[in-house]
Amino acid sequence: MNRKEALESVKANVGNTNLVKHMLATEVIMRALANRFGEDEEEWGLTGLLHDIDMELTGGDMSSHSKLGADLARELGASETMVHAILCHNEAHGIPRETKLDKALFCVDTLTGLIVAVALVRPDKKLASLDVKSVKKKFKEKSFAAGVNREQISLCSELGLELNEFIELGLVAMQEIASELGL
Ligand SMILES: [Fe+2]
């Protein structure tokens, strides 16, 4: 599988452009993390790109979400390591996160939501003017974007990353594709 095929499949299965943007954001942060850890950038990036490919097909049914996605990823040629990460990013299946890739996808998934939410309350609604301090401030403000699970983001500690470094890496990565994200 190459990136083009993966992205085409995502677009064929996901009509909601915000959901596609969420997967692009997850991909770019996963790529940055892979580089940070000397891991396989393509493997990590494509796992991020594909992780919610079944969200619309499963209609939000959390008992099937990720299982179908895992099957679709496998059909596209994803490795079993990638498939496992996709499967266990949905806690409803009770599958433990084992590899670094599993753990990375789980916390990156939520970090993207926080960064988007913080950008959207800026006067210019842009990522370019955002800094780590602003994101951290909103992270601590529990009532802000209350649906964003802070504990999940904090699990970056399992990767050996401080929260500040994780936020910075995620923000810088998303800024690189700001126009694609419309932010
Ligand atoms: Fe996601």
Side-chain angles (χ1 to χ4, degrees):
M1 166 186 29
N2 58 39
R3 181 176 189 269
K4 188 168 172 275
E5 289 163 349
L7 185 58
E8 275 169 7
S9 186
V10 164
K11 289 184 174 168
N13 287 293
V14 180
N16 181 328
T17 52
N18 283 334
L19 187 51
V20 174
K21 287 175 186 171
H22 163 64
M23 285 187 270
L24 289 170
T26 306
E27 177 195 13
V28 80
I29 300 179
M30 290 296 286
R31 284 182 184 276
L33 269 184
N35 284 325
R36 166 72 171 73
F37 296 128
E39 298 285 342
D40 185 332
E41 183 191 321
E42 206 61 13
E43 181 176 62
W44 283 44
L46 294 182
T47 304
L49 180 61
L50 291 171
H51 82 280
D52 277 338
I53 190 171
D54 67 354
M55 193 64 103
E56 288 180 4
L57 294 170
T58 55
D61 170 18
M62 293 313 265
S63 65
S64 53
H65 168 52
S66 300
K67 284 189 175 167
L68 179 61
D71 290 342
L72 291 171
R74 207 179 266 122
E75 277 170 30
L76 284 163
S79 67
E80 284 309 306
T81 314
M82 295 168 71
V83 168
H84 191 271
I86 291 171
L87 264 179
C88 70
H89 97 272
N90 176 5
E91 284 194 300
H93 305 312
I95 303 170
R97 292 179 293 280
E98 291 160 353
T99 67
K100 220 167 182 180
L101 178 60
D102 295 344
K103 291 169 184 168
L105 179 63
F106 191 68
C107 53
V108 169
D109 192 13
T110 308
L111 179 64
T112 64
L114 176 69
I115 294 175
V116 169
V118 179
L120 291 177
V121 296
R122 309 281 293 182
D124 63 1
K125 294 186 168 42
K126 297 285 181 206
L127 286 171
S129 61
L130 250 188
D131 56 20
V132 178
K133 220 175 116 192
S134 321
V135 179
K136 190 79 185 287
K137 197 171 153 216
K138 293 293 189 191
F139 177 93
K140 288 184 184 160
E141 200 181 306
K142 299 252 163 12
S143 60
F144 174 79
V148 172
N149 186 332
R150 271 62 170 178
E151 268 176 43
Q152 193 169 336
I153 296 174
S154 299
L155 287 176
C156 63
S157 62
E158 292 187 343
L159 298 166
L161 290 180
E162 297 281 344
L163 185 61
N164 272 345
E165 188 186 354
F166 185 45
I167 290 174
E168 180 165 23
L169 182 145
L171 178 59
V172 168
M174 283 177 64
Q175 282 170 336
E176 283 166 18
I177 60 159
S179 60
E180 268 181 88
L181 299 175
L183 292 169

